Amino acid sequence: QWRPWVYIPAWVRRYPFALMADAKGDGQPTEQLQKIMEFQRGFLALSQLTERVTNALVQVGVLEDAGFSIRRDQSSKPLNVQGFMVVNETKLKALKMEQVDNLHRAEALGLAYAQILSMSHLTQTVNGHSS
């Protein structure tokens, strides 16, 4: 269950309309449907950006496997979350200028640092409070 005021990922918010195709027909879409379609277009654009950024980061070799554990309380068994990758800041800082420029042109450089910052706030996001 999501805590109040905690970010809900777009991947979750897009349901139940994830498989919706463009509306075709004689009638006009309602305002609500127009908002849903706009959200879907935005989600697709961001998905394409994510793919481009990921490919650029993979190409320069700065991604690494990551994981973390969540505990509801001290007596509960931890839930291990794995199967995702993060940017290794040390490797990112060691890149040649040409590689950094390629990341910048792919819109990956700023997002790489945003991801590093985001991961530093993971505990707060998972636990719903500052540590």
Side-chain angles (χ1 to χ4, degrees), residues 1-83:
Q1 179 170 335
W2 292 100
R3 291 183 176 97
W5 305 108
V6 172
Y7 172 75
I8 299 174
W11 180 257
V12 175
R13 291 191 329 250
R14 69 190 188 113
Y15 287 98
F17 302 101
L19 300 177
M20 183 184 80
D22 286 341
K24 293 186 169 119
D26 298 329
Q28 296 295 319
T30 64
E31 182 180 337
Q32 182 178 4
L33 182 56
Q34 288 175 0
K35 288 179 183 178
I36 290 167
M37 291 177 357
E38 184 60 34
F39 178 80
Q40 292 295 339
R41 281 190 287 274
F43 187 87
L44 177 61
L46 290 174
S47 294
Q48 292 168 338
L49 173 64
T50 299
E51 186 173 343
R52 185 172 67 247
V53 166
T54 302
N55 289 337
L57 294 170
V58 165
Q59 191 172 25
V60 296
V62 297
L63 292 180
E64 63 186 18
D65 292 323
F68 62 92
S69 295
I70 302 171
R71 263 186 210 262
R72 239 186 137 90
D73 55 46
Q74 293 298 333
S75 63
S76 67
K77 184 178 176 181
L79 170 65
N80 296 316
V81 179
Q82 299 197 4

